[in-house]
Each structure stands twice: as structure tokens, then as C-alpha cells.
Amino acid sequence: MLRRRLNRLLGVDERRVDSRTIYVGHRSSSTNEAFIPPKFCDNRIVSSKYTVWNFLPKNLFEQFRRIANFYFLIIFLVQVIVDTPTSPVTSGLPLFFVITVTAIKQGYEDWLRHKADNEVNKYPVTVLEQGRRIRKESEKIKVGDVVEVEEDVTFPCDLILLQSSRDDDTCFVTTASLDGESNHKTHYTVPDTEKDLETLNATIECEQPQPDLYKFVGRMHIYKNDQEPAVRSLGPENLLLKGATLKNTQRICGVAIYTGMETKMALNYQGKSQKRSAVEKSINAFLLVYLCILVSKALVCTTLKYVWQGKPGQDEPWYNEKTQREKDTNLYLKMFTDFLSFMVLFNFIIPVSMYVTVEMQKFLGSFFITWDKDFFDPEIKEGALVNTSDLNEELGQVEYVFTDKTGTLTQNNMEFIECCIDGFQYKYRDASSDLDGFCVTDGPLNKVQEKAGREKEELFLRALCLCHTVQVKESSEQGQGQRDQVDGFGLDGEVLPPLREQRGFIASSPDEVALVKGAMRFGFTFLGLESKNMKILTRNNDIEMYELLHVLNFDPVRRRMSVIVRSKSGDTLLFCKGADSSIFPRVRQEEVERIRMHVERNATEGYRTLCVAYKNLSAEDYAQADAGLMEARLALQDREQKLMAVYNQVETGMSLIGATAVEDRLQEEAAETMEALQGAGIKVWVLTGDKMETAKSTCYACRLFQRNTELLELTVRTLEDGGRRREERLHELLLEYHKKAVQDAPPVKSGVTRTWSSANQDYGFIIDGATLSMVLNSSSESNSSRYKNLFLQICQNCTSVLCCRMAPLQKAQIVKMVKNSKGSPITLSIGDGANDVSMILEAHVGIGIKGKEGRQAVRNSDYAIPKLKHLKKLLLAHGHLYYVRIAHLVQYFFYKNLCFILPQFLYQFFCGYSQQPLYDAAYLTMYNICFTSMPILAYSLLEQHICIEVLLDNAALYRDIAKNGMLRWRPFLYWTLLGVFHGLLFFFGVRFLFSNPALQDNGQVFGNWSYGTIVFTVLVFTVTLKLALDTRHWTWINHFVIWGSLLFYVFFSFFWGGIIWPFLKQQRLYFVFANMLSSVSAWLVIILLILLSLLPEILLVVFHKPRGPRQTAAVTPLSYKHLKERE
């Protein structure tokens, strides 16, 4: 890998750019030449970020890239080097704490990644070497090794299938962890390979690694003695991908062609990058403003100091003569040193403790998600999981949700609902007593009105039993109780009542299984395929045998599949099923109208509809079709186009029998969740690897597409409709859709996203993977960016977007494209399979669902929830509250530090700019750490300005905080001006009191430390009570920390000034606080200034009438259970 990267950087052209040659079993094709094995990467998977050696430098470098950490490091160094008014400990200790805690957290997370990598890399596998079976660790597999894999084991690398334990030279795999589909897919061995792999002498020529899961091109040269080598074409049907699992096949052998980071699964894996929330970016922006304020203050004070010292007698008064060393110091160096001293004195305006508080708030706040009982799922007995607490507030800012379909929106559990035969509707008799979605009672079909003829019914049910690629699952306990549980026969051939509930079917699509089970419930049972013969059991318990002649596979352009079978009587029949739009033009038109109404009604109800047709083939028709199919299947060039032409020729002039309605069960409350998200102003995009019809009906069922939604389709099918070049047609369609959805659309009012409340037209957009590749990777660079812009504008003006037939990397590309579009919207991806990992990592927030498809999505996500319905509360309640809390925390921190440092700045004008601190060192250190930190932390964990029930019922409230609304410049300016107002009031209010310095009964004068202590007392009480006024939800914790902090300040001040501390050289506050409180004037000023500071806030609370749901907020109890109950 490293060598290839270096070659790419240096511009060295690799020889193996287009293809690679692999020697099966590392055996050379020629006995005369010396065999030098080509070098490929090993089979190690690496997802970790650090190693033991680079952890410290790399982690420190990453941490000091944060502007705040770097700033505090500089301040700390200045305090160490220059003689400054405050100790280096005040900056160094908090910085060290933050760096250490973050390093430990990131180190632990990376250790978990190392652990997961080791589990994969050290997994034992079986490799065939020189006729022996050798156990090796997975990471030691090399390209060319022949690997043996057993049932239910995951493939350790990408393999070409050479041998299978099944008689028909096939194997079944599930690719749930790759594309989310849990159905079984059939793969085939390479024809004409030796049964004994030890004697196999072959080479494979194939393309270089590329991420598309559905594409593979290669050929295999098989050498036998001195004959001309046989060449066999290789396609995706021969390729077993790493991450897929072997099913219903005892064992297979395959040759490794892509290993490690070159496997298709690894190429689809996006590296885990550091995600930063929008709040952190806002903090950095505010930080720069306060840095400018700090530098301005230091510059003003330094300049005025030297202006003041320039006056005669001011620079060196008689009582403070300079030493010789001071006189010899360079003036500019002295000015620079003074500037740095002022910087250190005022540096508390930028609080390092804010970062500690924010980290603690995020970490502790994430427990509320894990503790939430509403997220607990009794089925899996698990609740929500937080993998990254850094993004809590981002949950309240989401603008786009990208969701997977299979296993996320749906349960991937198809159920046969009803059928229509010859225009008559049929339903189950007893829908209430379903078992696995099917009626327990067998018997005749239930007639809703009248019934079709018996002959038509049986023809329809035969079609359902024969027109599919379903396999009967092999029994694991053969012969138990003298019965084979799979096909329902006794060992002596006697027909037994089939064990229908225990019958297992496997197919490439779950709806095929649903149709076979539907037919089984109505008396026609598919018993399996044995050496090209399909067996079915009829209502009368007769077994019928049909010879399977050809399967015309389903593809997304034709949108139908057919089988050609021969009955015992010698009749050749073609059965075809597919989407109505592809079947209706190929049947007699008088038959269509009887069935169209049923199909349209079922489609609007969100069911997946399929039409069923048949055709009797004459001997001549069949002979012609057979010859055409054989010729097309042997073609190496344009094989797909030739097959398509034959399929279209055969599938004409059919008779329509009926239609079926199958429901892909939605996840619990999926439609309500999607509706709530759209009500909150969030746009939902569905990204799926599934077929368009299935995905479209799911979107209707989830209410993402409404009945009046006009669908704009940009798929391979629509590109081929025009009869022109695809690129020209793509350009034409994009311009047409852009005019319709963008140019002609009325301007959208801010805050309104869904237009079904008005008379405006709603648009839904549909695109597939192949067309998306054309949009993103157009032949010319200018076209590509133009297409991309048009595509984005159309999508952004549609209420929902459906992207089907997506490869995992394409999902990530779409998320990245939206993420980097104008306005940088906050994106969220949610999925349940490893095929969703790339988009989960790419989005600002990644959510994994703890579904049936393994745990890779959960491991790579930021948050994991058991069901899709939990997303509603996670965003609308938790996300909303987290954002409001942390936004208030950030603004409040800057405000209270401005209040703190402004009097210190003003004091310099009255002390000859001598860098004299206004506050004692203990107060400087403890202001942010002890006196004011706990109330804001409690507020940022427990505050509910609106209660959770109201937030869930009024999704539109989510829009109030959209686009980082509480951390924009306007609220920031308000808080800054409030801090300036309070700072001025504290300083000049106390100065007014000091216009008569004899404030004690005995005539003693108050000194500068008394002045600073009175200012500090007013400051601590005001900022704490300001927070108390902002608190809408009071718990015992809020009461404890707010009043406790104020009591602690008073107690500490008495204690600190009431004892002579032996370790202090000078004790500035000795009895200052007690003395101060003995003055009635001081009491009066403290109370008056606190009241004056808070008066505007109090008046606002009194006269401001809350609108809408906020009225209930103040009195609603906290829906997070009290901590006592949690324990």
C-alpha cells in the first residue's frame, strides 16, 4: 500500500494499472520458467488511528491545533519566562488537566479499535497448501491462496469460487453486512475447474481493486496438459466478498484475489475523522473576538502607561527610584514585557475552565441518553448507547437526515396481504390469528365479492409456486422422527401433511419468499428444486413436477422476471411476474382494466404490487428462444444487451392472470417518526441498495411521498426512454426538473419546509446508483460540476429524495455533497448494516440501529438506538435541550468573565497602569473553578426551558433553534453588552461609595483590597443570581449548587482572611472581608448594585408574556427521573 501511494505521489506509472494476474495456489502456468510471485498487500485490516510510538506526538499535535489549547500554552510559557503579576500555576494546571483527560479518552477509544482489528486479523482460517489443510491467521492470507470456508463463517477476503459442497456447484451467501440485504444470494463456481484443486493449474486475470460491490470483470485461463488453455469469463456471480457469510452450503473453496485494505469492503470503508460540532466552531469564533478585546486592552494599557510615565516626575518618583538594572533595560524590550504582563493580567477574560466545563457537560449529559427508559427495547433488552459525547448539541441542529431503508425504515419482513385473480379480490379468512404474518387455518380462498374460475385460481397459484428463484432450506436434523422436515415426505415416499410453520425458504429477495408462503397458505406448496425439476404440492395433495428450462432473471431496467418450465404433459409454459408498468404493455389490453384498479389501490396503501402473467409456448417458439438464450449467455462482449433482446422477444403476447400485494413491514412508528422530522423542518433522504419499486412503496408507506407528490425520476429507465445518448438525455432531464422544481416553484417562506399545508405542488426526487455515477463522474469536468449543482438544487427543493441501488461509497458521496453544499447544513446518517458505515462516518452525526444486521454500524456510529422510532425523541427532545443548554453555557461563560475582567481593566486607569491586580490571587484562581462553575454546570445538565412532552408534541419548536440560532452574533452581542454594563456598574458603583473612604464607625479608611473585595462580592452574587433568573426548571440540585456556591464564597472569604497562613509571604486579605461587612455602607452598596444589575432582567421576566407551549414549561416536572430514582 505504501509503495503504491509513493508511486502515485511521485508520478510513477505502475505496470499493473488496468489488471492483475493471479496464480491459483501460487503455481506457475509454465514449467520452464522460474516462478516469481507478484507482490500484493497482505490481509491485515487497519482502522486504528495511533500506534504506541506515534500516540504522544500525534495526539499532542492534534490537541494543540485547537486554538484555545494553543493560546493557554503560550500564556503559560509567558508566565514562566516573564515576571508577571500572577503565578504560572493559574494557567498551567487547568491546561494540563484538559490535555491529560482528552488524551486518555482518545487513547482508550483507539485501543478499542486496535482490539476490534485484532479480532478480525487473528481469526483462524483454513488454507489449502500442497494438498494439506493448514490453519492460519486471517492476516497471513496472500493473494493466490486457496481458502476453505465453512457454513455460517464470514469470508476473510475477496474470493473467486472454485468448488462447492453442493451438487449443483452453487453456494448461498448473505451480504447483510455489505448492502444491508439479509436475503440469500446464489453464487456459481467457475465452469470446468478440476474437482481436485491440487492439480488445478490456472491463472486469473482481473481488474484492479475498485469499490463497486456489484461490478467485477475477469477471466480465468485453465491449463490442462499440453492443450490450448480454456478461457472462462468471470463476473460478480463468481466473486465472494469479504464480509459476506456462507449460508446453506457446508463448505466452499475459493482463491483469494483481493486482500486486506484492497478488498471491496475495505475500499467502501471511510476512515474515521475527527468530528467537530457547530458549537465548537462558534466558540472558536467568539474566542477570536475576545482575543481581540484582550490584545486591545493590553495595547491601550501599555500605551497609556508610557504616555503617563512621559510626564515629568511620574516615571521615577522620589519614593520609588529605579535600580541600575532597570535603567539599563532596553525601552522596547521593557514595553514588550509590559504588554505581555497586561496580557497575563487580563487573560482570565478567556476561560480555560469553560473547556473543562463543556467537556464535563458533554460527558455527563450523555448519560441522560443512556439512562432514558423510553429508549429501552424489551426485545433485545438494551437501551441507547453513546459512543461520542462530543456531538450531543449537534442533535439539535440537524437539517438533513439520510436513512437506510432495509432494516432501518422497514423490518425486512415481507408479508403477503392479498391478491387479485382475474379482477376478483382475495383475502385471508382469518387475519386476526396470524402466525409469522400468515393465517393458521388453511382452506379455500376467501371471496370478497365473487370468485374467479377454479382453473384461473390454480393457474395463478401455480405461477406463484414456479415463477421465482426460491430454494427450500436443507434440514439440519434429517431423518428425525422418520420425517424430513424440509419437503414434508416420509422416507417411504408417502405424502405427509407438510410442517408448514417449520418450512424454511431462502431467496435473493424476501418478497419472493412471501409470495411462495402466500401460495402455500392457499393450498399450493413449493417442495423444492431437484436436478432441474420443480416439485409442487397442490390442494388435492397431488405432487406435480415441472422441468425448469430457463430463468429470465430480474433486472432493474426490465423490472420483471420469468421462468420457462415444461409440465409432465409436455406443455411448455412461460410464467412472468413484475411491476405493473412493465407487465401491462406486454399483455392483452382488455385484461388490464380488470386488474389496474386493484393494483393502484394497493400501491396507494403502500403495498408492493406485482402482476402475474403467463404464455403457452409452441415447440417452434421455445426452440427459437432456447437457441437465442444459449447464444447470448456464451457471448463475452455485450452479454447483457444480447440477453435483454432475447428476454424482450420472449416476454410478449402474454395473458394477465392477476396481481399480488405484499407488505414490507415498516419499523414500529416509522411513518410517525418521519412525519415528525419533516414537521421539524428536517429533510429526509432515503439511501438504499434496494430496488426502486420496493423503496418507492416504502416511501409512500412512511409518508415521505404523499398522494399529491409529483415524482421526478432520474434512473437508467428514464434515461433510456428518450432513445438518445444517455448523457444528452441526462442533461435534458436535469434542466427539465430544475425548471419545474426550482425556477417555476414559488419562493419558500423561512421556517416552512413541507408544502402540503398550502396549494403548492410537492416534489419527490428518485435517482439510482448508475445515474448518480454519471452525475458525479461526468466525462468532462465542467459538465460534472454543472450536473452536480443542478442535481443539488433540485434535491433541495424537493420534500423527500430517494436514492436506490446505491453502493456504500455512493451513500457517503451523497452525504459529503450535501454536507459541503452552500450553507454547510448539519447532516445525520442512520443505518443498521456495515453497508451504512461509510455514510455514518461521513455525516456530522452518525446513528447506528441495533438491528439484525450485525453490529458494525453500531460500533462506528456516534450514537446507537434500538429502533428508528427513538430518533424522534433523540432529536426533538434530547437534541433540542442539549443545544439550548450548551449555547447558554458558552454565552454565560463569556459574559461572566467579561464582568470579571472589565473592573480589573478600569482599575488600571486609577493605579498608574502599574499592573496592580484588583482581586486577590485566591479570588483570581477560584472565580472560575469554584465560585461560579457548579451552578452553570448543573444548569447545563438539568435545564428544560420547555418540557419534553411539549417538545415531542410540537415538532415545529425544533425550527426555533435551527441554524445555530442561539450562538449567532446577535445573541453574542447582547451577552457582551450585558457584561460591559454589569462590569461598569460594579466598578463605578463601588467607586461612588469610596468617594468617602472613612466607611467604618472608628473612622478607619478602606484600602485597595477592600475595594477589590466589594467589587468581587457584587460580581459573584450578580452572575449567580442572573443564572437563577434564567433557570426555568428547578430541581434540588439547582438549589443546592446555586445557594451552596454563594455560601461557599462567604465561608471561604472569612476563612481565607481570618487565619494567618504560614506558607504565604504576604497576606493581603487578612480580616479584610470581616472588616468590610462591619460597614453598613458596604452592605447597602452591595445590595443596591446587585438589585440595579438584575433590575432589567427582573422587569423583562415580569412583563414578558410567554407565547404558546412555553407557558407550561416552568411548572412541568423534569421527565428525566430524579437521580435518586436512577440509583
Side-chain angles (χ1 to χ4, degrees):
M1 285 292 279
L2 183 64
R3 182 163 56 84
R4 289 178 66 188
R5 279 182 191 161
L6 281 171
N7 285 348
R8 217 172 290 147
L9 282 170
L10 299 169
V12 178
D13 187 29
E14 290 186 67
R15 277 183 172 180
R16 308 179 282 109
V17 165
D18 298 324
S19 65
R20 56 168 55 185
T21 303
I22 295 143
Y23 296 87
V24 177
H26 306 290
R27 284 185 286 276
S28 170
S29 54
S30 170
T31 50
N32 305 328
E33 295 172 20
F35 173 62
I36 302 166
K39 285 187 178 178
F40 301 108
C41 79
D42 59 20
N43 201 34
R44 271 187 314 136
I45 291 290
V46 181
S47 64
S48 54
K49 195 172 174 182
Y50 306 109
T51 64
V52 177
W53 309 110
N54 72 9
F55 174 71
L56 210 60
K58 197 172 177 183
N59 187 266
L60 287 175
F61 172 71
E62 281 177 1
Q63 289 209 57
F64 283 117
R65 277 166 66 191
R66 283 174 80 167
I67 188 168
N69 289 349
F70 185 69
Y71 164 75
F72 287 114
L73 179 68
I74 297 296
I75 290 293
F76 172 69
L77 294 174
V78 167
Q79 284 178 298
V80 170
I81 298 162
V82 180
D83 179 24
T84 55
T86 53
S87 162
V89 176
T90 55
S91 298
L93 203 63
L95 178 65
F96 177 74
F97 175 73
V98 171
I99 295 290
T100 308
V101 168
T102 311
I104 290 168
K105 181 183 153 200
Q106 289 180 353
Y108 175 69
E109 284 174 357
D110 204 61
W111 176 74
L112 291 178
R113 283 195 285 270
H114 271 283
K115 200 174 163 190
D117 287 347
N118 275 338
E119 276 178 30
V120 175
N121 294 333
K122 302 294 180 191
Y123 189 83
V125 293
T126 305
V127 177
L128 304 183
E129 281 183 11
Q130 297 167 352
R132 289 178 298 134
R133 298 166 80 251
I134 294 168
R135 296 291 276 175
K136 276 186 179 180
E137 289 175 347
S138 174
E139 64 184 358
K140 291 181 180 167
I141 294 175
K142 296 188 188 74
V143 170
D145 280 351
V146 178
V147 181
E148 184 181 283
V149 179
E150 295 182 344
E151 188 172 6
D152 293 325
V153 173
T154 302
F155 301 118
C157 55
D158 290 354
L159 303 166
I160 290 291
L161 180 59
L162 298 177
Q163 197 179 79
S164 168
S165 61
R166 292 179 66 89
D167 298 334
D168 55 0
D169 288 336
T170 62
C171 76
F172 297 102
V173 303
T174 55
T175 54
S177 64
L178 291 166
D179 58 13
E181 293 186 19
S182 55
N183 351 313
H184 290 58
K185 294 181 172 62
T186 311
H187 287 256
Y188 302 90
T189 59
V190 183
D192 303 331
T193 50
E194 304 277 348
K195 286 293 173 194
D196 182 8
L197 293 179
E198 195 186 341
T199 60
L200 177 67
N201 191 355
T203 59
I204 291 172
E205 208 178 322
C206 63
E207 62 189 359
Q208 286 293 355
Q210 52 104 344
D212 193 329
L213 296 176
Y214 309 107
K215 278 188 183 170
F216 175 72
V217 178
R219 57 185 173 208
M220 188 170 181
H221 300 262
I222 303 167
Y223 301 92
K224 289 183 181 175
N225 302 326
D226 294 327
Q227 298 172 17
E228 194 67 29
V231 181
R232 294 287 172 263
S233 65
L234 303 176
E237 69 277 4
N238 309 114
L239 182 67
L240 306 172
L241 299 175
K242 179 184 174 73
T245 307
L246 185 65
K247 292 284 179 187
N248 214 38
T249 311
Q250 286 177 2
R251 63 170 195 86
I252 62 101
C253 290
V255 58
I257 58 161
Y258 303 130
T259 51
M261 301 308 284
E262 290 184 338
T263 57
K264 287 184 182 283
M265 182 179 170
L267 292 173
N268 274 286
Y269 177 80
Q270 295 275 95
K272 201 160 190 178
S273 60
Q274 194 71 34
K275 293 184 180 180
R276 291 171 65 215
S277 70
V279 168
E280 195 175 326
K281 290 167 192 167
S282 296
I283 291 174
N284 286 344
F286 298 162
L287 209 63
L288 286 170
V289 172
Y290 272 71
L291 260 173
C292 293
I293 294 172
L294 171 64
V295 172
S296 308
K297 282 181 176 180
L299 277 172
V300 166
C301 285
T302 310
T303 309
L304 291 177
K305 177 177 181 171
Y306 283 91
V307 169
W308 185 74
Q309 285 182 355
K311 292 175 185 172
Q314 300 285 21
D315 186 26
E316 196 177 354
W318 58 269
Y319 55 83
N320 190 16
E321 289 186 8
K322 289 183 180 178
T323 61
Q324 191 58 42
R325 189 182 170 190
E326 283 175 328
K327 286 177 183 174
D328 295 341
T329 309
N330 182 291
L331 177 67
Y332 294 108
L333 181 63
K334 199 166 184 322
M335 287 173 80
F336 181 65
T337 310
D338 279 330
F339 171 75
L340 291 179
S341 296
F342 279 120
M343 285 282 286
V344 169
L345 187 65
F346 300 144
N347 108 78
F348 291 93
I349 197 170
I350 294 170
V352 69
S353 62
M354 179 176 71
Y355 283 89
V356 182
T357 312
V358 166
E359 288 287 327
M360 285 175 74
Q361 190 268 352
K362 288 180 174 183
F363 175 69
L364 296 172
S366 63
F367 284 111
F368 287 127
I369 294 176
T370 359
W371 286 340
D372 195 324
K373 288 177 181 174
D374 291 344
F375 290 160
F376 183 79
D377 184 42
E379 273 180 50
I380 58 170
K381 292 187 170 50
E382 284 184 50
L385 178 70
V386 178
N387 293 328
T388 311
S389 58
D390 292 347
L391 302 168
N392 294 344
E393 65 280 2
E394 210 80 327
L395 294 169
Q397 292 295 295
V398 175
E399 293 172 62
Y400 284 85
V401 166
F402 299 93
T403 171
D404 176 39
K405 183 191 80 74
T406 314
T408 305
L409 288 176
T410 69
Q411 299 175 10
N412 203 17
N413 179 15
M414 298 280 189
E415 182 186 353
F416 187 93
I417 299 295
E418 62 177 67
C419 59
C420 154
I421 303 172
D422 204 24
F424 298 106
Q425 183 187 358
Y426 290 81
K427 281 194 175 183
Y428 294 133
R429 173 179 291 167
D430 182 7
S432 61
S433 59
D434 279 8
L435 182 66
D436 290 330
F438 295 93
C439 179
V440 174
T441 53
D442 292 337
L445 297 164
N446 178 29
K447 305 178 284 291
V448 173
Q449 295 168 337
E450 301 174 50
K451 60 184 273 187
R454 186 179 176 86
E455 193 181 320
K456 270 280 170 71
E457 282 179 7
E458 293 196 349
L459 184 64
F460 177 81
L461 292 170
R462 277 192 190 93
L464 291 190
C465 278
L466 295 170
C467 188
H468 55 72
T469 54
V470 173
Q471 303 271 345
V472 175
K473 189 171 173 61
E474 292 172 358
S475 172
S476 53
E477 298 174 18
Q478 297 219 353
Q480 184 182 16
Q482 292 295 299
R483 183 194 296 271
D484 182 336
Q485 291 187 353
V486 173
D487 58 12
F489 287 97
L491 297 179
D492 56 357
E494 176 199 350
V495 178
L496 297 169
L499 297 176
R500 285 165 179 164
E501 262 52 76
Q502 296 177 7
R503 180 173 303 280
F505 295 111
I506 53 175
S508 59
S509 170
D511 61 339
E512 289 209 318
V513 175
L515 294 177
V516 171
K517 283 189 173 179
M520 187 168 85
R521 288 289 160 221
F522 292 145
F524 271 70
T525 308
F526 174 60
L527 300 175
L529 176 69
E530 278 181 19
S531 59
K532 293 288 182 183
N533 285 317
M534 299 177 90
K535 290 191 293 184
I536 60 173
L537 183 68
T538 64
R539 289 178 186 170
N540 309 324
N541 273 357
D542 297 330
I543 290 178
E544 293 181 358
M545 300 277 278
Y546 290 86
E547 185 188 349
L548 178 62
L549 301 170
H550 288 286
V551 176
L552 281 55
N553 287 320
F554 179 90
D555 68 70
V557 177
R558 274 170 60 242
R559 300 198 301 164
R560 60 186 180 274
M561 70 89 61
S562 304
V563 292
I564 300 174
V565 293
R566 184 175 285 137
S567 66
K568 280 281 187 194
S569 59
D571 294 333
T572 305
L573 298 165
L574 175 131
F575 290 109
C576 179
K577 69 165 190 262
D580 52 90
S581 56
S582 73
I583 297 282
F584 286 167
R586 301 185 163 269
V587 297
R588 298 191 192 97
Q589 290 311 298
E590 63 270 15
E591 298 168 337
V592 170
E593 292 310 314
R594 290 206 296 271
I595 287 171
R596 189 193 297 276
M597 182 185 70
H598 292 279
V599 170
E600 286 177 356
R601 180 180 53 79
N602 287 332
T604 54
E605 286 169 3
Y607 298 139
R608 176 150 191 226
T609 57
L610 286 174
C611 294
V612 181
Y614 88 106
K615 177 183 179 181
N616 259 316
L617 292 175
S618 65
E620 296 81 32
D621 287 343
Y622 173 68
Q624 189 184 347
D626 184 52
L629 287 167
M630 292 300 283
E631 185 187 338
R633 280 181 182 142
L634 287 172
L636 288 175
Q637 297 289 317
D638 303 326
R639 187 188 297 177
E640 286 178 9
Q641 285 87 331
K642 287 176 181 174
L643 279 171
M644 194 78 69
V646 182
Y647 291 169
N648 289 335
Q649 190 183 335
V650 177
E651 295 166 333
T652 48
M654 299 183 288
S655 298
L656 188 62
I657 323 170
T660 62
V662 173
E663 182 184 24
D664 186 358
R665 279 268 182 92
L666 285 182
Q667 286 274 8
E668 210 179 320
E669 295 177 35
E672 291 83 351
T673 304
M674 293 298 112
E675 210 161 37
L677 294 182
Q678 289 192 319
I682 297 169
K683 297 206 171 184
V684 182
W685 291 31
V686 179
L687 312 182
T688 177
D690 217 333
K691 295 189 277 290
M692 190 182 88
E693 290 73 31
T694 325
K696 197 156 86 176
S697 61
T698 303
C699 287
Y700 274 112
C702 284
R703 303 176 202 160
L704 292 172
F705 294 160
Q706 302 284 333
R707 286 190 182 192
N708 65 335
T709 304
E710 186 181 336
L711 297 181
L712 311 176
E713 195 179 313
L714 196 65
T715 59
V716 172
R717 196 164 56 88
T718 54
L719 292 186
E720 290 183 347
D721 282 353
R724 294 208 304 280
R725 277 181 61 242
R726 279 187 177 187
E727 187 121 348
E728 287 174 19
R729 181 74 177 139
L730 172 70
H731 190 221
E732 182 188 304
L733 279 173
L734 279 171
L735 289 174
E736 182 191 322
Y737 293 160
H738 186 268
K739 186 175 187 306
K740 195 180 282 187
V742 182
Q743 293 168 10
D744 297 348
V748 180
K749 291 177 187 174
S750 62
V752 179
T753 54
R754 185 104 206 184
T755 53
W756 37 259
S757 55
S758 63
N760 296 335
Q761 178 61 54
D762 254 2
Y763 293 104
F765 193 73
I766 301 174
I767 189 166
D768 62 8
T771 317
L772 183 74
S773 292
M774 291 175 67
V775 170
L776 298 180
N777 313 313
S778 178
S779 49
S780 71
E781 195 67 35
S782 57
N783 272 3
S784 184
S785 61
R786 183 145 186 261
Y787 290 168
K788 209 184 285 186
N789 286 336
L790 285 171
F791 170 66
L792 252 178
Q793 285 175 34
I794 295 165
C795 289
Q796 286 168 341
N797 273 42
C798 291
T799 49
S800 293
V801 177
L802 166 62
C803 306
C804 41
R805 281 286 172 216
M806 292 280 132
L809 210 55
Q810 283 183 313
K811 291 184 178 185
Q813 282 176 327
I814 284 202
V815 176
K816 188 175 184 179
M817 183 170 68
V818 173
K819 193 170 88 169
N820 297 334
S821 65
K822 190 181 175 186
S824 303
I826 303 296
T827 57
L828 177 146
S829 291
I830 179 166
D832 68 322
N835 62 313
D836 305 315
V837 168
S838 292
M839 73 168 181
I840 282 172
L841 292 172
E842 184 60 59
H844 292 95
V845 183
I847 294 184
I849 286 188
K850 298 178 175 183
K852 303 169 186 172
E853 315 289 6
R855 286 298 168 98
Q856 268 181 294
V858 170
R859 277 207 302 271
N860 286 282
S861 63
D862 302 306
Y863 302 89
I865 49 177
K867 292 244 169 82
L868 177 78
K869 65 175 182 177
H870 300 138
L871 184 65
K872 180 182 172 183
K873 187 174 184 184
L874 189 67
L875 296 188
L876 303 191
H878 287 283
H880 187 116
L881 292 174
Y882 279 134
Y883 175 74
V884 169
R885 290 163 184 165
I886 204 159
H888 200 284
L889 182 150
V890 170
Q891 301 277 30
Y892 176 79
F893 249 100
F894 281 113
Y895 149 78
K896 75 184 178 74
N897 281 294
L898 187 58
C899 292
F900 179 42
I901 286 303
L902 189 61
Q904 173 75 73
F905 170 66
L906 296 169
Y907 186 58
Q908 297 305 305
F909 291 84
F910 299 91
C911 69
Y913 312 100
S914 59
Q915 294 143 24
Q916 167 68 30
L918 175 63
Y919 314 116
D920 183 64
Y923 285 164
L924 281 171
T925 308
M926 296 185 73
Y927 175 71
N928 278 317
I929 295 174
C930 300
F931 300 147
T932 58
S933 61
M934 290 312 290
I936 185 61
L937 180 61
Y939 175 95
S940 65
L941 288 171
L942 302 169
E943 173 61 4
Q944 282 187 47
H945 64 304
I946 304 173
C947 71
I948 284 179
E949 289 74 16
V950 174
L951 286 171
L952 290 174
D953 292 342
N954 296 274
L957 290 171
Y958 193 84
R959 295 179 193 163
D960 294 352
I961 56 164
K963 296 189 182 292
N964 208 8
M966 290 181 70
L967 285 173
R968 289 197 189 144
W969 293 107
R970 195 172 166 183
F972 173 71
L973 191 64
Y974 162 75
W975 282 94
T976 305
L977 291 175
L978 187 68
V980 170
F981 165 65
H982 284 178
L984 289 168
L985 196 63
F986 301 158
F987 184 81
F988 289 108
V990 178
R991 189 164 184 277
F992 175 72
L993 166 73
F994 269 66
S995 55
N996 171 19
L999 294 170
Q1000 288 175 287
D1001 298 340
N1002 58 8
Q1004 276 189 351
V1005 178
F1006 271 179
N1008 66 318
W1009 295 114
S1010 299
Y1011 186 95
T1013 305
I1014 296 174
V1015 172
F1016 193 77
T1017 306
V1018 177
L1019 164 72
V1020 169
F1021 273 80
T1022 303
V1023 297
T1024 307
L1025 292 173
K1026 161 83 176 98
L1027 189 66
L1029 283 174
D1030 287 343
T1031 303
R1032 293 285 172 274
H1033 176 82
W1034 285 88
T1035 65
W1036 65 267
I1037 299 174
N1038 296 82
H1039 282 291
F1040 177 76
V1041 294
I1042 285 177
W1043 314 123
S1045 290
L1046 295 177
L1047 281 172
F1048 175 71
Y1049 165 66
V1050 174
F1051 171 76
F1052 175 82
S1053 298
F1054 274 119
F1055 190 64
W1056 182 246
I1059 297 172
I1060 296 174
W1061 300 99
F1063 56 83
L1064 291 176
K1065 289 180 186 173
Q1066 50 194 17
Q1067 199 155 340
R1068 296 158 172 169
L1069 286 192
Y1070 186 65
F1071 261 84
V1072 166
F1073 193 75
N1075 233 1
M1076 177 191 86
L1077 294 184
S1078 67
S1079 165
V1080 178
S1081 307
W1083 273 94
L1084 181 67
V1085 162
I1086 289 168
I1087 292 165
L1088 261 177
L1089 286 178
I1090 291 169
L1091 283 173
L1092 274 173
S1093 302
L1094 296 175
L1095 190 63
E1097 199 76 21
I1098 294 165
L1099 291 174
L1100 197 69
V1101 171
V1102 170
F1103 293 112
H1104 176 68
K1105 289 182 180 177
R1107 291 171 298 168
R1110 287 170 182 76
Q1111 288 174 319
T1112 58
V1115 290
T1116 311
L1118 190 65
S1119 72
Y1120 297 139
K1121 304 298 179 226
H1122 286 302
L1123 296 184
K1124 203 186 290 179
E1125 290 175 33
R1126 291 278 178 210
E1127 288 162 10

